Amino acid sequence: MREDSRFESTGFGERLTRVETEKEGFNLFDESDEELLLRAPLADRMRPRSLDEFVGQEHILGEEKLLRIVLEKGELTSAIFWGPPGTGKTTLARIIARETGCRFVSFSAVTAGIREIKEVIRIAIDERKFNRRRTILFVDEIHRFNKAQQDVFLPYVEDGTIVLIGATTENPSFEVITALLSRSKVFTLNPLTSENVAVIVKRALDDKERGLGKYEATVEEEALAHIVIFSNGDARIALNGIEMAVLTTPPGADGKRVITLAIAEEAMQKRALRYDMDGEEHYNIISALHKSMRGSDPDASLYWLARMLEGGEDPLYIARRLVRFASEDIGNADPMALVLAVAAKEAVHFVGMPEANVALAQTVTYLACAPKSNAVYTAYEEAATDVKENEAQPVPMFLRNAPTPLMKELGYGKDYIYPHDKASGFVPISYLPDNLRGKSYYKPKGAGLEGEILRRIEGWRKERNKKDGESS
């Protein structure tokens, strides 16, 4: 590391900033101080030093994706990285500084105030003036800054003195002032997939320079899966877990260390449950959850939900199944079921695990206790069958739209009666093709709101049938 990489003296202590200026790659710590580097947590030692080493976030960093294009063209812009912990927000900001040759200054909104911000900006102004080099100012937990603190950045972001990169785990729409948002590009970082985390852990095990390679550790498949599952997409948690497992496991007679499931459980402080996310158990338990809700048993439903979540199941998978259940097994008997199920999906995105488990539990108990009807499901199946098995007749002329004079001349929309012109809001005619006239797909069961829907629909069908009889 070059000598001008240093903790910058700004008059308020070393805790504030870390300046990175070398071109050959960097870590959080000065690599010339090997003892300090070795004492750093594995998650810090294994920080990727380039985009090629970075794992995950392909939706913004893959080929032809926006952030990669911006970096390749050197067109730096202020940005907000929004995503859960351990997804690479800080690391990505450091890589951007390296790739663009910018000076890098980092501090946390938890410990810094306006005085510190102004001092950093003063130095950035000098750096740009005398060294013709831009400063990337990385602000971790930017949502912790109040409006007045965020306002300080505005003129310097606008005139290019600093390139601001803020990191937040909260929705920036609510936590970052509008003026900063309008001058920044928001990039959403997703939780790392299980495959991403497994790659990161294996890389750390093999790396003899910065990782755990010198310990010659091997990890049993079940142990690796356990660490990956209970990291919940957070690479830092996974690396802390594997580091603890390796360091607390004595070498065998051959000098090698074997990380078993029991060791992984101890390191992660989580007991492995019998649950296979890709095998039969996965399908057995989701089936048990679905049938327990259909059977109106909230207690069993909660149990099977907990089995899945505590076993490491993807909460979004569960949320998707709840959305399907709300329409398939409840439908219009209680339309709020679908609203709540979709809200649970949003809660999983917004809050993340483990906190979102309560939103899923609330939804599961509501769905289990709601009135049940599969009338919407069977109605669609019947309609789809007719589509597949019957002649696809043209749309009746009176149902067609007529946006041009020629279409009006051809009779498009002719004889259409606008229901709102009637006091009852109803016109007793059939809107089906002639070959399907009189078909009834939707047959409400009478449970919950469908009781009222059934009353209405029977009245409408009676009037339509009477009208058809008169016409014939």
Side-chain angles (χ1 to χ4, degrees):
M1 180 174 285
R2 279 177 18 192
E3 304 228 342
D4 58 352
S5 288
R6 62 197 181 279
F7 284 101
E8 187 168 49
S9 175
T10 57
F12 43 83
E14 288 185 347
R15 69 177 173 81
L16 174 63
T17 63
R18 166 66 177 164
V19 184
E20 303 290 2
T21 60
E22 76 285 35
K23 290 294 292 179
E24 291 76 26
F26 51 78
N27 283 303
L28 178 65
F29 298 93
D30 190 331
E31 293 177 3
S32 63
D33 189 342
E34 294 184 5
E35 184 180 349
L36 182 61
L37 179 61
L38 290 173
R39 288 205 307 267
L42 179 64
D44 284 321
R45 302 200 309 268
M46 290 302 300
R47 282 187 188 276
R49 295 166 294 188
S50 67
L51 286 179
D52 290 336
E53 289 185 6
F54 196 87
V55 178
Q57 313 309 333
E58 289 84 0
H59 63 293
I60 58 173
L61 290 172
E63 294 297 327
E64 303 302 319
K65 297 300 182 180
L66 181 59
L67 186 53
R68 182 176 285 272
I69 292 172
V70 167
L71 290 178
E72 289 174 348
K73 291 185 176 180
E75 298 174 353
L76 271 182
T77 180
S78 291
I80 303 294
F81 292 158
W82 172 31
T87 51
K89 296 186 291 294
T90 303
T91 298
L92 188 52
R94 290 179 176 277
I95 290 173
I96 290 172
R98 174 187 175 274
E99 294 285 336
T100 57
C102 290
R103 175 173 168 271
F104 182 87
V105 180
S106 168
F107 62 78
S108 172
V110 177
T111 57
I114 288 181
R115 183 170 66 90
E116 290 88 347
I117 295 171
K118 288 182 175 179
E119 182 64 16
V120 167
I121 290 173
R122 182 189 65 78
I123 296 171
I125 292 172
D126 289 344
E127 187 70 22
R128 189 183 187 195
K129 180 179 179 180
F130 298 114
N131 295 327
R132 298 185 180 279
R133 185 170 55 165
R134 299 180 75 183
T135 295
I136 288 180
L137 178 57
F138 176 74
V139 182
D140 197 16
E141 307 282 358
I142 193 171
H143 59 273
R144 300 288 190 93
F145 276 151
N146 60 35
K147 183 181 184 299
Q149 289 170 313
Q150 293 184 37
D151 278 337
V152 175
F153 295 122
L154 281 175
Y156 306 102
V157 168
E158 202 159 48
D159 70 10
T161 298
I162 60 172
V163 176
L164 177 68
I165 299 181
T168 178
T169 55
E170 304 294 332
N171 189 327
S173 300
F174 305 125
E175 305 295 343
V176 179
I177 61 174
T178 303
L180 267 185
L181 277 180
S182 68
R183 293 164 175 79
S184 307
K185 174 65 181 174
V186 176
F187 292 98
T188 302
L189 275 68
N190 298 328
L192 297 177
T193 66
S194 297
E195 292 77 11
N196 292 154
V197 177
V199 167
I200 292 169
V201 171
K202 290 175 181 177
R203 182 181 292 173
L205 287 168
D206 294 337
D207 193 314
K208 294 186 178 181
E209 179 188 353
R210 296 181 293 150
L212 302 168
K214 67 180 181 180
Y215 295 104
E216 297 188 62
T218 58
V219 182
E220 292 181 351
E221 188 174 332
E222 285 186 333
L224 177 61
H226 183 76
I227 290 171
V228 167
I229 287 171
F230 285 101
S231 69
N232 287 319
D234 188 325
R236 188 180 296 108
I237 291 175
L239 289 172
N240 288 344
I242 193 63
E243 182 177 34
M244 179 66 68
V246 170
L247 295 181
T248 57
T249 301
D254 59 358
K256 297 182 178 180
R257 306 175 191 226
V258 179
I259 310 303
T260 64
L261 176 59
I263 294 171
E265 289 177 335
E266 185 66 24
M268 299 296 288
Q269 291 295 289
K270 293 268 189 181
R271 183 174 67 86
L273 301 175
R274 185 174 172 238
Y275 187 76
D276 181 359
M277 290 177 62
D278 299 313
E280 181 183 351
E281 198 74 355
H282 165 84
Y283 297 103
N284 287 343
I285 295 183
I286 193 61
S287 175
L289 172 61
H290 199 123
K291 289 172 181 174
S292 297
M293 291 190 297
R294 181 184 291 152
S296 301
D297 188 339
D299 301 308
S301 301
L302 280 172
Y303 173 78
W304 296 118
L305 172 69
R307 278 280 294 271
M308 298 186 85
L309 289 177
E310 298 303 315
E313 179 58 79
D314 178 3
L316 281 174
Y317 169 78
I318 299 173
R320 286 193 293 271
R321 301 313 305 163
L322 298 184
V323 170
R324 170 70 183 195
F325 180 91
S327 293
E328 179 180 338
D329 287 275
I330 297 173
N332 290 327
D334 184 353
M336 277 301 298
L338 180 58
V339 175
L340 191 63
V342 173
K345 183 266 294 182
E346 290 301 311
V348 171
H349 270 302
F350 182 68
V351 179
M353 292 297 291
E355 288 85 356
N357 57 6
V358 179
L360 291 170
Q362 176 186 352
T363 305
V364 161
T365 52
Y366 187 96
L367 299 182
C369 297
K372 304 299 188 296
S373 171
N374 70 341
V376 171
Y377 171 74
T378 57
Y380 180 80
E381 292 298 307
E382 288 183 34
T385 298
D386 273 346
V387 168
K388 296 170 185 175
E389 297 180 357
N390 289 282
E391 176 191 358
Q393 290 193 343
V395 175
M397 293 295 284
F398 80 99
L399 288 180
R400 300 186 190 189
N401 193 26
T404 69
L406 174 62
M407 296 171 83
K408 288 180 181 178
E409 289 177 17
L410 294 174
Y412 282 50
K414 184 181 179 182
D415 298 328
Y416 173 68
I417 302 173
Y418 191 53
H420 293 294
D421 289 339
K422 302 294 182 180
S424 65
F426 174 75
V427 179
I429 58 176
S430 175
Y431 296 87
L432 282 166
D434 288 341
N435 64 332
L436 295 175
R437 183 166 294 192
K439 289 281 292 192
S440 297
Y441 299 116
Y442 183 38
K443 305 175 182 70
K445 296 293 183 72
L449 182 62
E450 277 200 334
E452 172 61 19
I453 294 174
L454 179 61
R455 184 189 66 77
R456 293 182 212 160
I457 210 168
E458 284 180 341
W460 294 331
R461 284 173 178 161
K462 184 177 180 181
E463 288 191 50
R464 282 198 182 97
N465 292 335
K466 181 181 177 182
K467 184 70 174 178
D468 285 344
E470 293 174 354
S471 300
S472 61

